[in-house]
Amino acid sequence: KPIKTLVTAPLSALHSAWTYEKINDYYDTLKKPRKKVMSITKPNDLKQVQDADILVINDDKFSITSDPRENRYFGYLSERKFDLIICDEAHREKNKESNRSRTLVELVNNVNPDSYLLLLTATPICRDPNDLGLLLHLLDPKLFPKANLFDYEKDIVATRRVLGKYMYRLTRKELSEIFPLPNIQKIEKQFSLDPDLIKEYIECWADEHDEKNHTIKSIWRLRKNLAKQKIREITKEDGLIDYCINSGQQVAIYSEMREGVMNNLEEILSKKYPDLGVVRIDGEIGTYNKKGVREVSKNRTYLAKKFQDGDAKIILFTSVMGEGVALNNNTEKNDSPISLIRMEKDMTYSKEIQIPGRVDRKGQKKDITVYDLVVSSPELSKEMRERAKDIQERYDVYIPKKFRA
């Protein structure tokens, strides 16, 4: 039977994933009838919303008032009954005291207690088990009658019962049975460390300076020096980027270092490839025109589309969020293979899998190659192993034998 669905999502996801076109694109793929989709992002939308199959609302509208009954958006939604409620980016609901969480709990558990609830998140790791407290309350209010943070040891059995009953992980293999997915190849690209950096690296690592905060300052200086070496290697003639471009691939480059990496890369690549198009997505969004002048734009979707359509062959991005925009090629104009270059690997596992996710999206047909840039030095490794025993004795720490000379 026809069902009424409510989707709550951040504004970025609203514009990138929960649009009329994107939703019905999936229905087309599944060979199902198209649905009538309406979005609510401002008060005037409440007057224009008609009888929609799927109603999508910016969840920040739930944050306006502390009392849900005083919220005009909640008042509108509470007059309607939904068969299914979908909460996108559900991991954001950590704070039970926030206005958004209060309104969501009221809408799900009290106004629509009989509706199905789907909590969506692609963030695989919580910072703390207590972050699950509100989600568990939404999933099973009888078992978890309160949305307060729970005692891990006391409630672990109940938690496993809820998650085992309700949690479902959609794997890449299962997705490939529904949508065509590209092959992904990961390559570690190694560069030799410049000899002049070896001594500086050792001094920082062995903490041989008495100056206060010297080590922290040195680490950042070393990271920038290592970044400069990587930039030289990949942008030189017949380097990695030349290879990718000449073989018909588009290039996406990720780094979390804006000043140390992205500013330099953007300037170098825009001058080297003035006709290929170089775009960038981060907090200071912009693009260089053919005259080499940076034109600032705040439309991430517009810049991402230039890459998707092939009008820009190189895109730089510093955030895995980026308004949720996809950097894959799935248009009629362009279906090129993509090379993703990670200037540095992230220590956070969630980011480690989210970064390739920017290009590994539905619709990408050609292969994806992920390059991890690593600076190596046998001389540095030997020196560090020889000094490991002294470090162990000086700081009274244990260093495994395999890391000692």
Side-chain angles (χ1 to χ4, degrees), residues 224-256:
K224 288 184 178 180
N225 288 335
L226 294 177
K228 288 179 182 178
Q229 184 171 345
K230 292 178 182 179
I231 290 173
R232 287 199 302 269
E233 294 289 344
I234 65 175
T235 60
K236 67 182 182 181
E237 292 299 319
D238 298 323
L240 178 58
I241 295 180
D242 271 0
Y243 166 78
C244 295
I245 295 296
N246 293 335
S247 58
Q249 302 178 55
Q250 286 181 272
V251 180
I253 304 176
Y254 171 83
S255 174
E256 65 177 2

Side-chain angles (χ1 to χ4, degrees), residues 148-161:
N148 50 338
L149 304 181
F150 63 98
D151 185 304
Y152 181 78
E153 295 296 332
K154 175 183 176 183
D155 295 330
I156 187 61
V157 175
T159 302
R160 287 174 176 166
R161 190 190 317 166

Side-chain angles (χ1 to χ4, degrees), residues 85-323:
I85 296 178
I86 300 174
C87 179
D88 195 10
E89 303 291 355
H91 57 272
R92 298 168 75 232
E93 307 303 334
K94 298 184 180 76
N95 182 5
K96 66 183 180 67
E97 299 296 339
S98 71
N99 294 345
R100 186 179 63 222
S101 296
R102 287 175 178 172
T103 305
L104 184 63
V105 168
E106 182 70 18
L107 186 64
V108 172
N109 289 347
N110 296 332
V111 178
N112 293 275
D114 298 324
S115 63
Y116 287 96
L117 175 65
L118 182 60
L119 302 178
L120 299 179
T121 175
T123 301
I125 298 176
C126 292
R127 297 173 303 173
D128 187 279
N130 288 331
D131 287 348
L132 290 171
L134 184 64
L135 302 186
L136 293 170
H137 173 66
L138 287 169
L139 287 171
D140 198 329
K142 292 182 179 179
L143 194 57
F144 292 92
K146 295 183 180 180
N148 50 338
L149 304 181
F150 63 98
D151 185 304
Y152 181 78
E153 295 296 332
K154 175 183 176 183
D155 295 330
I156 187 61
V157 175
T159 302
R160 287 174 176 166
R161 190 190 317 166
V162 172
L163 295 182
K165 180 179 179 181
Y166 296 116
M167 188 170 71
Y168 179 71
R169 181 186 177 194
L170 191 60
T171 65
R172 183 180 177 83
K173 180 180 179 182
E174 291 164 330
L175 276 175
S176 66
E177 297 174 358
I178 305 174
F179 309 113
L181 296 177
N183 294 321
I184 297 183
Q185 181 184 15
K186 294 186 177 181
I187 299 175
E188 187 174 271
K189 195 76 173 176
Q190 291 195 0
F191 308 110
S192 296
L193 182 66
D194 285 346
D196 58 336
L197 285 177
I198 294 178
K199 182 180 179 181
E200 186 178 359
Y201 200 103
I202 281 292
E203 289 177 350
C204 169
W205 178 76
D207 195 20
E208 295 184 350
H209 287 264
D210 296 328
E211 180 187 346
K212 187 177 181 181
N213 295 328
H214 174 82
T215 303
I216 296 176
K217 294 178 182 177
S218 296
I219 288 174
W220 281 106
R221 186 170 69 252
L222 283 173
R223 287 191 70 185
K224 288 184 178 180
N225 288 335
L226 294 177
K228 288 179 182 178
Q229 184 171 345
K230 292 178 182 179
I231 290 173
R232 287 199 302 269
E233 294 289 344
I234 65 175
T235 60
K236 67 182 182 181
E237 292 299 319
D238 298 323
L240 178 58
I241 295 180
D242 271 0
Y243 166 78
C244 295
I245 295 296
N246 293 335
S247 58
Q249 302 178 55
Q250 286 181 272
V251 180
I253 304 176
Y254 171 83
S255 174
E256 65 177 2
M257 299 175 64
R258 295 180 183 177
E259 294 184 6
V261 175
M262 285 311 193
N263 291 347
N264 294 336
L265 261 180
E266 187 178 22
E267 184 176 356
I268 293 171
L269 296 177
S270 297
K271 291 178 179 178
K272 185 174 182 178
Y273 306 107
D275 299 324
L276 293 184
V278 178
V279 296
R280 172 176 168 179
I281 295 179
D282 62 23
E284 297 179 1
I285 303 162
T287 180
Y288 279 91
N289 59 26
K290 291 187 177 181
K291 295 181 180 180
V293 179
R294 195 161 193 253
E295 298 174 338
V296 177
S297 167
K298 291 189 176 181
N299 193 333
R300 290 179 173 88
T301 305
Y302 166 75
L303 295 175
K305 193 172 190 309
K306 290 187 70 173
F307 183 75
Q308 291 173 336
D309 291 342
D311 297 329
K313 298 297 183 184
I314 301 174
I315 191 165
L316 314 175
F317 67 105
T318 60
S319 170
V320 295
M321 306 299 289
E323 275 194 357

Side-chain angles (χ1 to χ4, degrees), residues 30-58:
L30 296 170
K31 296 181 172 53
K32 300 292 184 180
R34 288 196 153 216
K35 301 297 182 182
K36 189 172 183 179
V37 181
M38 302 295 292
S39 296
I40 299 177
T41 59
K42 54 186 183 299
N44 285 342
D45 292 338
L46 297 176
K47 302 175 184 178
Q48 301 173 6
V49 169
Q50 301 173 1
D51 191 24
D53 300 309
I54 302 176
L55 196 59
V56 186
I57 185 169
N58 174 13

Side-chain angles (χ1 to χ4, degrees), residues 302-353:
Y302 166 75
L303 295 175
K305 193 172 190 309
K306 290 187 70 173
F307 183 75
Q308 291 173 336
D309 291 342
D311 297 329
K313 298 297 183 184
I314 301 174
I315 191 165
L316 314 175
F317 67 105
T318 60
S319 170
V320 295
M321 306 299 289
E323 275 194 357
V325 294
L327 303 179
N328 59 324
N329 301 323
N330 59 354
T331 65
E332 295 180 359
K333 295 174 58 178
N334 180 41
D335 64 347
S336 305
I338 295 179
S339 283
L340 170 64
I341 300 176
R342 291 196 284 202
M343 297 299 293
E344 65 275 335
K345 297 195 71 173
D346 200 287
M347 296 179 64
T348 307
Y349 178 69
S350 59
K351 278 191 178 180
E352 184 70 15
I353 62 176

Side-chain angles (χ1 to χ4, degrees), residues 356-399:
R358 292 266 71 83
V359 295
D360 181 21
R361 292 294 183 95
K362 175 181 175 290
Q364 176 67 26
K365 299 176 183 177
K366 296 297 179 65
D367 293 348
I368 297 172
T369 305
V370 180
Y371 291 97
D372 285 312
L373 306 186
V374 178
V375 178
S376 64
S377 170
E379 293 86 357
L380 176 61
S381 177
K382 180 181 178 182
E383 182 78 11
M384 293 175 74
R385 287 176 182 273
E386 290 175 350
R387 296 200 181 201
K389 184 177 180 181
D390 294 335
I391 297 292
Q392 180 174 261
E393 293 176 353
R394 188 192 314 172
Y395 295 104
D396 192 23
V397 296
Y398 173 72
I399 299 178

